[in-house]
Amino acid sequence: MIKSSAWVALLSLVLSGCQAAPAITSPASTSAKAITDLLWIFFGISALVFVVIEGLLLFVVFRYRHNGNKVTTEELPKQVEGNPRLELIWTLVPALSLLILFIVSVGTLRALVEPPTDSAAVKNIVNVRAIGHQWWWEFEYSDEGILTADEMHVPVNSVVYVSVDSADVIHSFWVPQMGGKIDVVPGHTNNTWFQPTEIGTFTGECSEFCGGAHAMMRLDLVVESQADYEAWLTAQKAPSVKPTGDAILGEKVFFEEGCSGCHQINGTPADGLIGPNLTHFASRKSIGGKVLDNTPENLAFWLGNPAEYKPGVLMPKLNLTPERIKLLVVYLDSLK
Ligand code: CUA
């Protein structure tokens, strides 16, 4: 027997796990809320059926258990055959339950498919293109001329239309607290939408196996006030800041090592489109597909050998000396 204290420890572990994870049971958008409501209706009806059926089963098992006496043919209970009323009940009750679940499911599906069309919603639309790469997310705000990675910003209560494309293989775009998943298919654009109702940072992840580092393909969805969002747009639209001090040497290393062949930095000759756009790299909270926090130590570690943390990553090991890594970190961290 497990001691009760162990049960308490286990339970608190499970419960704390539920809170830290991007749980679908804590929705933060209108469609995620509709999905969660449906989940609880299904759970409630299933739980009711479970309790009634298991209760009847246990009752019969204990009430009519063998009492140790020999049973003779004469003592057998009255044998019955057919009971129209009972048969009607156990046919109609499940049929009606399924009909109810079907009707509420169709209602939820409609709510998920049709975005709001009231005038407030129409005025507050954000279009984002999410591009899945092995193994990171790129975000293009073509209305604003912004190309960024790892971090997607949207204002609260806006209607966010996300069109998803793939740069290589099949991925799946999923921010659990915003709603369902959408397949990211090469050569075919899929569309989804959501309306965030809460300010906060919500973790998203690729939910289709897409190669070795599939589990390291995450993103941050930052839902913020309209004012914060506009400030973010303004900052992202600006060209990169001009380096000063050691950052000038770092920029030199950046070009000498060929980083510009894969990365774009607006306002400089760096125009590579294979890796993430780094124009405002220092404004982002994470690196490498949200696998490491964006700190100078982590960045130095990452530049030293990206595959050490993320096996299979396309970014090569450049065999940089610690001094050159240090200068690169100073330069990249200056790109606010
Ligand atoms: Cu991309 Cu899994």
Side-chain angles (χ1 to χ4, degrees):
M1 279 298 278
I2 304 182
K3 285 217 185 93
S4 60
S5 57
W7 279 115
V8 171
L10 194 68
L11 189 69
S12 57
L13 235 159
V14 169
L15 290 179
S16 63
C18 289
Q19 288 191 336
I24 53 165
T25 46
S26 37
S29 83
T30 51
S31 31
K33 174 84 168 51
I35 294 172
T36 309
D37 289 347
L38 184 66
L39 169 82
W40 289 123
I41 292 172
F42 265 72
F43 183 78
I45 291 183
S46 310
L48 189 71
V49 169
F50 178 81
V51 167
V52 169
I53 300 292
E54 291 303 307
L56 282 174
L57 181 71
L58 287 175
F59 171 76
V60 170
V61 165
F62 285 102
R63 176 72 177 75
Y64 299 105
R65 69 186 183 278
H66 194 271
N67 58 11
N69 297 333
K70 280 248 166 64
V71 180
T72 64
T73 329
E74 294 83 69
E75 292 170 67
L76 280 177
K78 194 172 109 217
Q79 303 295 298
V80 289
E81 198 179 296
N83 185 328
R85 190 199 283 176
L86 267 181
E87 285 169 19
L88 212 62
I89 290 175
W90 70 51
T91 306
L92 282 182
V93 170
L96 277 177
S97 314
L98 288 178
L99 186 68
I100 292 170
L101 291 177
F102 174 72
I103 291 170
V104 292
S105 299
V106 169
T108 304
L109 276 179
R110 283 193 55 169
L112 297 184
V113 170
E114 291 166 10
T117 48
D118 54 282
S119 56
V122 171
K123 258 187 245 153
N124 204 358
I125 286 176
V126 176
N127 291 302
V128 187
R129 182 167 168 242
I131 305 143
H133 294 255
Q134 282 177 316
W135 290 278
W136 55 284
W137 292 100
E138 184 170 41
F139 301 106
E140 187 183 7
Y141 293 66
S142 40
D143 305 342
E144 314 286 347
I146 292 172
L147 193 63
T148 183
D150 289 353
E151 223 171 85
M152 174 174 163
H153 287 240
V154 293
V156 71
N157 294 324
S158 59
V159 182
V160 183
Y161 288 88
V162 189
S163 63
V164 298
D165 285 306
S166 170
D168 35 51
V169 299
I170 298 179
H171 304 274
S172 179
F173 179 84
W174 191 34
V175 183
Q177 284 161 283
M178 291 300 132
K181 305 170 178 181
I182 183 92
D183 277 339
V184 181
V185 185
H188 175 84
T189 303
N190 273 336
N191 298 289
T192 186
W193 71 275
F194 57 83
Q195 186 172 26
T197 50
E198 249 178 65
I199 286 178
T201 300
F202 304 94
T203 300
E205 53 208 3
C206 177
S207 66
E208 181 88 45
F209 181 72
C210 55
H214 151 71
M216 293 184 167
M217 185 171 167
R218 296 190 208 118
L219 66 108
D220 267 333
L221 174 76
V222 181
V223 179
E224 54 204 356
S225 67
Q226 187 66 35
D228 286 352
Y229 173 67
E230 275 160 22
W232 179 80
L233 283 183
T234 309
Q236 297 291 315
K237 277 192 237 179
S240 61
V241 289
K242 290 274 156 283
T244 53
D246 274 358
I248 297 173
L249 300 173
E251 187 187 34
K252 209 165 148 264
V253 175
F254 186 88
F255 284 96
E256 281 169 4
E257 296 292 347
C259 307
S260 56
C262 289
H263 296 281
Q264 190 172 33
I265 298 181
N266 303 352
T268 78
D271 58 358
L273 290 173
I274 294 167
N277 183 304
L278 302 176
T279 309
H280 298 287
F281 169 78
S283 74
R284 309 206 277 256
K285 286 177 205 74
S286 59
I287 50 177
K290 192 172 151 50
V291 293
L292 289 169
D293 287 340
N294 191 358
T295 65
E297 298 75 37
N298 284 344
L299 183 56
F301 170 65
W302 176 260
L303 293 170
N305 184 5
E308 194 176 335
Y309 197 83
K310 195 170 181 174
V313 65
L314 294 183
M315 178 162 158
K317 183 181 179 185
L318 294 171
N319 295 315
L320 303 164
T321 61
E323 293 73 42
R324 286 171 80 77
I325 287 179
K326 219 168 151 187
L327 292 173
L328 259 183
V329 170
V330 172
Y331 172 54
L332 291 172
D333 278 343
S334 76
L335 300 175
K336 299 277 186 225

